Amino acid sequence: CDALKPQALDRLRERKHRSDKPFALMAADLSAIWKYCQLTESEAQLLESPAAPVVLLSKRADCSLPDALAPGQKTLGFMLPYTPLHMLLFEALRPELDVLVMTSANLSEEPIVFGDSVEDLSRLWTLADSVLTHNRPIMTRIDDSVVQVEDDGRPLMIRRARGYAPNPLILNHELNEILAVGPELKNTFCLTRGHYAFLSHHIGDMENAETFAAFEQGVQHYESLFRVTPRAIARDLHPAYLSTAYAKKMAEEEGLPLISVQHHYAHIAAVLAEHGRFTDQPAIGLAFDGTGYGTDGTIWGGEALLCSADGFSRTYHLEPFALIGGDTAIRNPVRQAFALLYASGPNWDQALPPTLTLSKPDQRLLRTMLDQRLNCADTSSIGRLFDAVSALLGIRQQVTYEGQAAIELENLADPACEQAYHFTLQDGQIGWKPVLEEILSDLRHGRETPQISAKFHNALIHVCLEICDRIQQKHHDRRFAVALSGGVWQNQRLLNGVRKTLRQNGWEVLLPRQLPFNDGCIAFGQAVIADAVIRNSETLPN
């Protein structure tokens, strides 16, 4: 649709059931993008590269595009025409129109429609005013890749799909033939053979039958395309994931060994393996994300791990707090904020944004659930802590897409503020209660939200350095590399601050380059860990 027409954007959001999540844009050429966004030479080169990804760009101060394209965001995702059809479309539209919303042909959270069956077309008619087809069938669905360029001009992968997949990752040693089925959210799967790891394109969140069917079709397609016959299957520890159930079923039917891999270990192993560093020499892994099933049955997500091909140890983790109602709390950061306040003690201000949002009956219900531990799962997730702080500051009490509360909190942070709150490190835990007390004090004294957000980010930056220093001291001043992985690291303020601080203090920092920070890298990590398990056991495990 026309990117300049708010009415068209509203209609498209209504039809796709996509209330706030940003839309991708396609511009006729670089000059059209210049009108709306700042553009560096590295970003221009990436836009014009053969991969032609969506590139996240900083909006110009005078950007005239509607805020409804990306509510609460400081960036817009632009791409250039990458097929003849796109070029013909802009030839017909220019000069009147040189920017279009380009979104996938699907309802939100469902797989892309790519066939011409009656069922496929009936789905499209609920979305579009017209449908263009062709006598050459599309062989497989694939999303656009999304990339962000750092200040030093190097790209960071946000979503690895069209233009990058299925290009293999090349390792410095041969791997067994393994199928790794990936996680539940932002799913990809991975097949390995020889020196190659074939990581699939972005499948999506496996929360419905349609996406699961797309996953199964993708696995069959890749096994045929790359002639891989798996000798083992790797899966996540979480017992309820659709990918885990698929792995168990296939292992039973094919008589293959099934290797379970902890989520955050897979995150760090993926980064280390990409850099050729997944060996018997350990490295520190800071795995910060929203959700990952831990070895103790709780929800992890704020983990400092010591990782090698021989396994991992959990050296530090965020002090746990309760998710009231499980997944319901993830969609409602107000519940996460309430859980923090409850854990901090009885004396807190009833005029805070979360308590003003919740009705008195709702507050009584949440207290009862916490008192009796009814449907409350403990989490050590940094991602959930970001959500809770966002709700505490009145930024976002409910979310309509993953990461929304944290993104809006980051976007409000004062770039000039250097003050910081203070986490504690004791008994292997990263204590957040002093940070909460300082935030509540600042709120009582009328401190502005941008300063509070900045002080929270800065506290995390400082505690990451302290964690690494303490691990080094515990191991007799041995210097490790530090690998960063997990969706929280898509936060540019946090990433840049931690990387700069660590490097200034002599630490080597490893980031994913061919892989995304988020769960799109998990399958690759599962595959290299499973290969290490097989090699360490010298035979395939039972």
Side-chain angles (χ1 to χ4, degrees), residues 141 167 177 186 211 238 262 280 371 380 398 408 410 412 421 423 445 464 508 521:
R141 58 173 66 82
N167 292 343
E177 295 193 20
K186 294 180 173 57
T211 307
H238 200 298
Q262 200 281 322
D280 59 356
D371 287 339
S380 61
Q398 294 180 316
E408 294 180 6
E410 177 195 0
L412 287 171
Y421 299 125
F423 288 94
H445 290 90
C464 285
E508 180 187 10
C521 75

Side-chain angles (χ1 to χ4, degrees), residues 237-433:
L237 283 180
H238 200 298
Y241 282 178
L242 288 175
S243 58
T244 300
Y246 172 87
K248 184 178 180 181
K249 176 174 177 288
M250 293 302 297
E252 291 173 351
E253 291 179 354
E254 302 293 332
L256 298 175
L258 185 60
I259 300 169
S260 298
V261 179
Q262 200 281 322
H263 184 94
H264 300 97
Y265 181 31
H267 259 301
I268 301 304
V271 179
L272 295 176
E274 182 187 339
H275 289 271
R277 305 284 287 274
F278 189 59
T279 66
D280 59 356
Q281 298 300 310
I284 296 172
L286 299 180
F288 293 174
D289 66 1
T291 299
Y293 195 79
T295 55
D296 59 0
T298 65
I299 300 169
W300 293 7
E303 314 305 313
L305 309 176
L306 202 57
C307 298
S308 74
D310 297 327
F312 77 95
S313 60
R314 192 187 191 198
T315 59
Y316 287 97
H317 61 84
L318 186 71
E319 179 184 355
F321 63 94
L323 285 179
I324 314 172
D327 287 348
T328 302
I330 295 174
R331 295 187 295 272
N332 294 273
V334 63
R335 289 190 170 209
Q336 299 170 52
F338 190 89
L340 292 192
L341 293 169
Y342 175 92
S344 70
N347 299 317
W348 36 276
D349 188 354
Q350 287 294 318
L352 292 168
T355 47
L356 293 175
T357 300
L358 293 164
S359 67
K360 294 297 182 183
D362 283 343
Q363 290 187 45
R364 287 195 294 271
L365 172 63
L366 296 183
R367 283 183 181 275
T368 300
M369 293 175 71
L370 287 164
D371 287 339
Q372 301 180 19
R373 301 296 298 175
L374 297 173
N375 195 19
C376 289
D378 282 339
T379 182
S380 61
S381 167
I382 295 286
R384 301 287 79 88
L385 184 64
F386 265 96
D387 290 349
V389 172
S390 180
L392 275 173
L393 302 186
I395 297 169
R396 178 61 60 176
Q397 307 296 340
Q398 294 180 316
V399 297
T400 60
Y401 63 88
E402 187 187 10
Q404 184 179 11
I407 290 168
E408 294 180 6
L409 176 65
E410 177 195 0
N411 286 338
L412 287 171
D414 180 358
C417 178
E418 297 182 357
Q419 294 175 291
Y421 299 125
H422 302 91
F423 288 94
T424 59
L425 292 178
Q426 188 173 0
D427 300 327
Q429 293 194 358
I430 307 167
W432 49 261
K433 288 178 182 174

Side-chain angles (χ1 to χ4, degrees), residues 286-288 464 484-492 494-495 498 517:
L286 299 180
F288 293 174
C464 285
L484 309 181
S485 190
V488 168
W489 293 111
Q490 291 174 180
N491 181 316
Q492 289 297 297
L494 182 64
L495 173 65
V498 168
F517 278 111

Side-chain angles (χ1 to χ4, degrees), residues 155 157 160 164 167-170 199 274 511-516:
M157 193 72 64
R160 186 178 184 272
Y164 297 96
N167 292 343
L169 287 88
I170 302 174
L199 184 65
E274 182 187 339
L511 310 181
R513 293 295 176 183
Q514 301 178 67
L515 303 164

